Amino acid sequence: MSRADQPLLSVKSLSKFYGAHIGCKDVSFDLYPGEVMGIVGESGSGKSTLLNCMAGHLAPDRGEVVFDTRADGPRDTVQMSEPERRMLSRTDWAFVHQHARDGLRMGVSAGGNVGERLMAVGARNYGDIRGKATDWLQRVEISADRVDDRPTTFSGGMQQRLQIARNLVTGPRLVFMDEPTGGLDVSVQARLLDLVRGLVRDMGLSAIIVTHDLAVVRLLADRLMVMKSGHVVEAGLTDQVLDDPQHAYSQLLVSSVLQV
Amino acid sequence: MIELNNVSKTFTLHNQGSAVINVLSGVSLSVARGECVALTGASGAGKSTLMRMIYGNYLTQAGEIKIGETDLVKAEPREVIALRREVLGYVSQFLRVVPRVPTIDVVSEPLRAVGATSEEATARAEELLSKLNIPERLWSLSPTTFSGGEQQRVNIARGFAHSYPAMLLDEPTASLDAANREVVLSLIEEAKSRGAAIIGIFHDEAARERVCDREIDVTEFTRGQAA
Amino acid sequence: MSESAYNFAYLDEQTKRMIRRAILKGLAIPGYQVPFASREMPMPYGWGTGGVQVSAAVLHPEDTFKVIDQGADDTTNAVSIRTFFEKTAQVKTTTRTSEARVIQTRHRIPEEGLTEDQILVYQVPIPEPLRFLEPRESETRKMHSLEEYGLMHVKLYEDISRHGHIATSYAYPVKVEDRYVMDPSPIPKFDNPKLGDMAAIQLFGAGREQRIYALPPYTKAVSLDFEDHPFEASKADHPCGLCGAEDSYLDEVIVDDEGGRMFVCSDTDYCEGRRAKGFVGAMAATDQMAATTMTKPTLEVL
């Protein structure tokens, strides 16, 4: 990839305030193609605010979110027009919600859920759409004969995998994930993590994963950012931050995890 | 290939009265291609700490750690990731894998990561697993359920799958029987003969004698630190 | 209250101006749903309050007015609306498609081709074609403004996956001038091809939902479909039992207690016109009574 030495996403001094309260402040980092970055921190640390600002769900008060677009190279998505940004979020970006029902259409079949993004970018051949949807269901380990079933008949883990299939079918380059394993059984979590890891590697995806589960980032993320009270207190290689945390809060966070 | 200049390391324990522990200072050493160097010193002397620093797992505050042309102390995370993928291998004492991934994939992954085809990677993984006497019926299972010795051998197979120009070995022969120990030592010898620079920790003295060209006593870098 | 106490066509002039503005805006942006301040009408929602307000805004005293409900002039809804304008506007009314200047319709487009002198007013229950899958009005408006219509095809996809073909048979969505996706009101999809390139002005009024939209004459309106499941304008595969027409949309009518049934033109004026010209259907000869005394059974046929 010729652009491997250029950041896919470049976040500069991103800040969001809720009145006098800091959502996130002066967050800057570069994410390169194929990199997976984890963002950890306790509830209220600003990690979800940051994620939503980057993904265009919230308007930041300051800063830039520069994405290396296919057509025009690096563009500040904060300054983009809404149609452009929404187009980006249907093509090159994907967003996996913590609760599958926020990211799925519960009244639409699994195949329709996966096919929606294809149809949104102009696919008009039913057979092709259905073929791709079925293929993706299998890639996320959902049996092809469930293609016409609604997500309401799926287990939590299946719903989450369906959400991932729905997001990845258009071959995005950047995936935002908000607590993707939250609320799932431990055994189901492992399966999902394995799946996500495989997809990230096979598709060369870049991903930003917000979680409070350090085991998740240890397995999925190359890099880690630790947030507290809206600030990034430490960032670096995942295993370095977890095994040799420098900041007082990171040390507390790491030492607070129960060992099994 | 591996060169350390005046490296030092302290731990600051913010949650225990901000205690500052000086672990190592003034570490300088270099390992050439085809050379294997053993780190020695009593338990707690800082061998593993130094090894982890060279891998970038522990943050180094001062000095220079050069692997080939890259200075790990100053490198960006992505440079370290690339270095670990292409250049610098590490066989730790513990296997850490995603649950559910088959052994064969665990072992072949480093090769696929550097662009080998799936067939090449699998063939190499099969070769190593056979050599290390992991029964074929286990290859499709996740190593998380294996015995400690089996996990250690899977870990070694994974570590030797790709021909890294620089390697770090933390007790590679610990908890192995004689036959498997022999396999591991011959893997190390092969790596040396193809020009890999190796730093290892061996409690197994006979193994150390056999594969290592030099020994470096880590105690000399901790002298005067224990206060 | 005497009938002359009403303003012409019931609504006051200011209201009619407001509605006309909405209509003009709708004509200027074909397929775009223009919000308007729908008034309470002396009939319940669902009985054509949107269409009535639009008709009231476009009627002139010299116009001739026709109302059809499912193609028929003599159903309750059609009769009451026709009577309403006879009383409040004293306009002439007709059942002849060709004689009418303004035709208010529920669920059909007349079989006979319309001309540039005519206006077709549709009664619309739910103007939002995206409502099926996206209940948030704020979101559907954004989707229209940004031309995000993937969801429309999701609806058709669901149809095919469930029924093997596009089972949507009425209110079949169209894309207008390659821009707005529009609900053509619950007309059968058989009528969809007539929407596009029509000589007459088409106005759509949704009273409860407070929306007006329009197709100016000769506007492009293409029914959505898939390459491998193309749009088909379907109808019952029979000729009309009364006039023998094979090209008109048919209603199925149960004629006795033994399951006997017949198919007749849903457009009563079209059927009568053909019979006046001497066309005779298979059932017309055997059932003289039915053919002469009733133009069409007053049945709700879905």
Side-chain angles (χ1 to χ4, degrees):
Chain A
M1 208 182 281
S2 63
R3 283 188 180 158
D5 51 353
Q6 185 172 328
L8 182 69
L9 189 77
S10 195
V11 174
K12 296 172 189 169
S13 310
L14 201 64
S15 306
K16 172 78 185 173
F17 304 97
Y18 300 108
H21 177 73
I22 294 173
C24 60
K25 188 152 185 270
D26 287 332
V27 179
S28 301
F29 67 90
D30 288 336
L31 187 75
Y32 288 84
E35 272 187 335
V36 177
M37 193 173 78
I39 303 176
V40 296
E42 61 200 359
S43 302
S45 60
K47 55 193 197 299
S48 289
T49 295
L50 175 62
L51 189 75
N52 283 314
C53 283
M54 290 189 286
H57 298 173
L58 274 177
D61 293 310
R62 271 212 311 269
E64 297 175 19
V65 179
V66 178
F67 180 72
D68 185 14
T69 62
R70 284 182 216 236
D72 308 315
R75 297 266 320 271
D76 181 7
T77 62
V78 176
Q79 300 298 328
M80 267 185 184
S81 68
E82 191 176 12
E84 282 182 296
R85 201 165 46 234
R86 282 175 71 117
M87 178 54 96
L88 202 57
S89 63
R90 298 201 291 269
T91 52
D92 262 357
W93 286 6
F95 196 101
V96 176
H97 294 261
Q98 174 177 8
H99 302 291
R101 52 183 59 240
D102 294 338
L104 292 173
R105 294 195 187 277
M106 300 306 280
V108 170
S109 70
N113 263 293
V114 179
E116 181 177 346
R117 271 173 77 113
L118 293 170
M119 292 183 253
V121 295
R124 291 294 177 264
N125 187 295
Y126 175 82
D128 288 354
I129 294 163
R130 192 176 171 80
K132 280 207 180 106
T134 310
D135 178 47
W136 263 97
L137 288 184
Q138 288 168 325
R139 287 181 73 167
V140 298
E141 302 169 17
I142 295 173
S143 161
D145 61 16
R146 302 297 303 270
V147 66
D148 293 329
D149 294 343
R150 292 188 178 187
T152 40
T153 68
F154 289 5
S155 69
M158 279 172 81
Q159 288 182 2
Q160 200 58 297
R161 279 180 275 135
L162 179 62
Q163 194 194 178
I164 288 169
R166 170 180 158 90
N167 269 284
L168 298 189
V169 65
T170 48
R173 292 188 293 155
L174 176 60
V175 185
F176 299 100
M177 295 193 189
D178 189 5
E179 303 273 9
T181 57
L184 297 177
D185 288 345
V186 176
S187 62
V188 177
Q189 278 189 17
R191 189 174 181 190
L192 192 77
L193 289 176
D194 170 28
L195 180 81
V196 170
R197 219 172 106 101
L199 291 170
V200 163
R201 188 190 54 222
D202 296 346
M203 298 177 73
L205 292 174
S206 303
I208 297 176
I209 300 173
V210 159
T211 182
H212 61 261
D213 187 340
L214 298 183
V216 168
V217 290
R218 165 111 38 201
L219 291 176
L220 285 182
D222 306 309
R223 294 166 53 191
L224 192 59
M225 267 181 9
V226 181
M227 289 191 73
K228 178 169 169 46
S229 311
H231 296 266
V232 175
V233 296
E234 184 165 354
L237 278 175
T238 301
D239 60 270
Q240 184 255 297
V241 174
L242 293 180
D243 294 339
D244 185 17
Q246 304 296 307
H247 189 273
Y249 178 70
S250 315
Q251 292 184 355
L252 182 67
L253 196 69
V254 170
S255 64
S256 303
V257 175
L258 296 175
Q259 301 289 328
V260 287
Chain B
M1 187 66 208
I2 304 174
E3 201 177 322
L4 277 66
N5 290 316
N6 209 18
V7 167
S8 58
K9 171 70 185 165
T10 56
F11 286 115
T12 306
L13 306 179
H14 292 284
N15 300 299
Q16 291 172 42
S18 293
V20 177
I21 303 172
N22 296 312
V23 188
L24 294 167
S25 66
V27 184
S28 295
L29 60 88
S30 89
V31 182
R33 289 177 197 279
E35 198 183 14
C36 179
V37 172
L39 298 181
T40 60
S43 265
K47 300 187 294 292
S48 287
T49 298
L50 182 57
M51 192 90 105
R52 283 167 171 250
M53 287 161 68
I54 300 171
Y55 195 59
N57 178 229
Y58 280 0
L59 195 75
T60 302
Q61 278 93 357
E64 188 183 61
I65 300 177
K66 287 188 81 174
I67 312 292
E69 293 305 304
T70 311
D71 179 5
L72 260 176
V73 179
K74 294 199 184 69
E76 293 290 317
R78 69 189 191 98
E79 295 174 279
V80 179
I81 291 163
L83 190 77
R84 288 174 177 184
R85 186 173 57 232
E86 313 275 346
V87 180
L88 184 62
Y90 182 41
V91 178
S92 69
Q93 294 186 69
F94 307 101
L95 182 67
R96 196 171 238 153
V97 293
V98 182
R100 229 170 59 96
V101 177
T103 298
I104 192 82
D105 293 348
V106 169
V107 175
S108 61
E109 198 206 351
L111 271 176
R112 279 178 284 144
V114 293
T117 66
S118 173
E119 293 77 37
E120 287 166 359
T122 307
R124 173 71 177 152
E126 286 172 357
E127 182 198 331
L128 284 163
L129 288 170
S130 316
K131 243 187 206 173
L132 286 155
N133 303 304
I134 303 287
E136 194 170 341
R137 64 189 160 77
L138 297 181
W139 295 358
S140 59
L141 305 178
S142 164
T144 42
T145 56
F146 293 4
S147 72
E150 283 165 341
Q151 289 198 4
Q152 170 68 350
R153 280 177 277 148
V154 170
N155 208 17
I156 289 164
R158 178 179 160 88
F160 281 90
H162 171 52
S163 306
Y164 297 101
M167 294 188 79
L168 307 171
L169 309 175
D170 193 352
E171 298 274 17
T173 56
S175 72
L176 295 183
D177 58 36
N180 285 312
R181 176 174 170 276
E182 181 55 36
V183 175
V184 173
L185 292 178
S186 66
L187 282 172
I188 295 171
E189 282 163 348
E190 273 171 39
K192 280 177 70 179
S193 65
R194 66 169 163 76
I198 300 172
I199 296 181
I201 301 173
F202 299 88
H203 282 142
D204 176 351
E205 257 177 69
R208 196 195 311 157
E209 295 287 306
R210 178 165 150 195
V211 296
C212 295
D213 304 295
R214 284 191 284 140
E215 292 184 8
I216 294 174
D217 188 350
V218 178
T219 318
E220 66 181 278
F221 308 122
T222 58
R223 207 168 295 142
Q225 301 290 350
Chain C
M1 198 193 299
S2 74
E3 282 142 30
S4 59
Y6 289 114
N7 189 39
F8 174 74
Y10 186 76
L11 293 173
D12 63 273
E13 292 306 310
Q14 289 305 317
T15 297
K16 286 193 282 186
R17 275 181 66 179
M18 175 271 291
I19 295 172
R20 284 181 201 128
R21 280 198 201 105
I23 291 170
L24 285 172
K25 184 168 180 183
L27 286 166
I29 317 169
Y32 171 72
Q33 298 168 46
V34 185
F36 81 109
S38 179
R39 296 292 191 253
E40 290 290 330
M41 298 303 286
M43 60 191 72
Y45 288 126
W47 286 67
T49 55
V52 165
Q53 290 177 79
V54 170
S55 293
V58 300
L59 270 177
H60 286 244
E62 67 274 16
D63 281 343
T64 306
F65 187 58
K66 168 182 163 83
V67 189
I68 50 174
D69 175 6
Q70 307 262 14
D73 292 89
D74 52 2
T75 56
T76 317
N77 192 233
V79 169
S80 66
I81 292 172
R82 192 164 61 227
T83 311
F84 175 77
F85 282 109
E86 281 169 355
K87 277 191 180 172
T88 61
Q90 292 89 43
V91 289
K92 278 187 295 188
T93 58
T94 180
T95 60
R96 294 280 167 82
T97 299
S98 58
E99 287 173 11
R101 282 290 291 267
V102 177
I103 304 171
Q104 182 170 332
T105 179
R106 172 174 175 266
H107 297 193
R108 273 313 309 276
I109 297 176
E111 302 292 352
E112 197 176 332
L114 302 182
T115 67
E116 290 177 6
D117 298 328
Q118 294 179 301
I119 298 175
L120 185 59
V121 177
Y122 295 78
Q123 301 172 197
V124 181
I126 298 168
E128 180 48 71
L130 299 161
R131 182 64 42 82
F132 170 78
L133 294 164
E134 179 51 71
R136 290 168 296 180
E137 176 77 13
S138 58
E139 187 63 18
T140 55
R141 294 186 77 163
K142 193 166 273 178
M143 290 159 95
H144 280 295
S145 67
L146 302 179
E147 262 186 278
E148 292 181 3
Y149 290 129
L151 203 52
M152 224 47 252
H153 274 85
V154 172
K155 181 179 191 293
L156 301 179
Y157 172 95
E158 291 292 283
D159 251 16
I160 304 173
S161 70
R162 211 167 304 151
H163 306 286
H165 59 96
I166 298 177
T168 300
S169 57
Y170 62 93
Y172 194 105
V174 292
K175 193 159 199 187
V176 178
E177 289 290 327
D178 301 316
R179 179 58 184 86
Y180 285 98
V181 167
M182 184 190 99
D183 184 320
S185 88
I187 59 172
K189 66 177 173 182
F190 173 83
D191 282 342
N192 267 33
K194 298 182 214 162
L195 286 164
D197 215 29
M198 186 188 280
I201 291 175
Q202 300 174 77
L203 304 176
F204 299 79
R208 181 176 39 211
E209 301 278 329
Q210 313 200 327
R211 293 289 182 277
I212 284 170
Y213 50 103
L215 296 176
Y218 308 110
T219 296
K220 187 174 166 190
V222 179
S223 304
L224 302 180
D225 62 1
F226 288 103
E227 292 158 10
D228 47 350
H229 285 267
F231 172 81
E232 267 178 80
S234 60
K235 71 178 202 56
D237 192 16
H238 292 274
C240 172
L242 299 178
C243 76
E246 301 195 4
D247 59 352
S248 67
Y249 190 72
L250 302 171
D251 287 338
E252 184 180 359
V253 182
I254 308 297
V255 292
D256 54 34
D257 292 343
E258 274 99 56
R261 54 194 193 146
M262 67 188 293
F263 290 91
V264 295
C265 291
S266 98
D267 185 337
T268 51
D269 174 59
Y270 182 72
C271 199
E272 276 167 30
R274 279 177 54 86
R275 277 179 280 146
K277 287 182 201 153
F279 292 101
V280 179
M283 307 279 281
T286 55
D287 193 346
Q288 202 69 32
M289 284 295 288
T292 52
T293 60
M294 65 180 199
T295 48
K296 195 190 122 186
T298 48
L299 279 177
E300 284 291 305
V301 184
L302 288 173

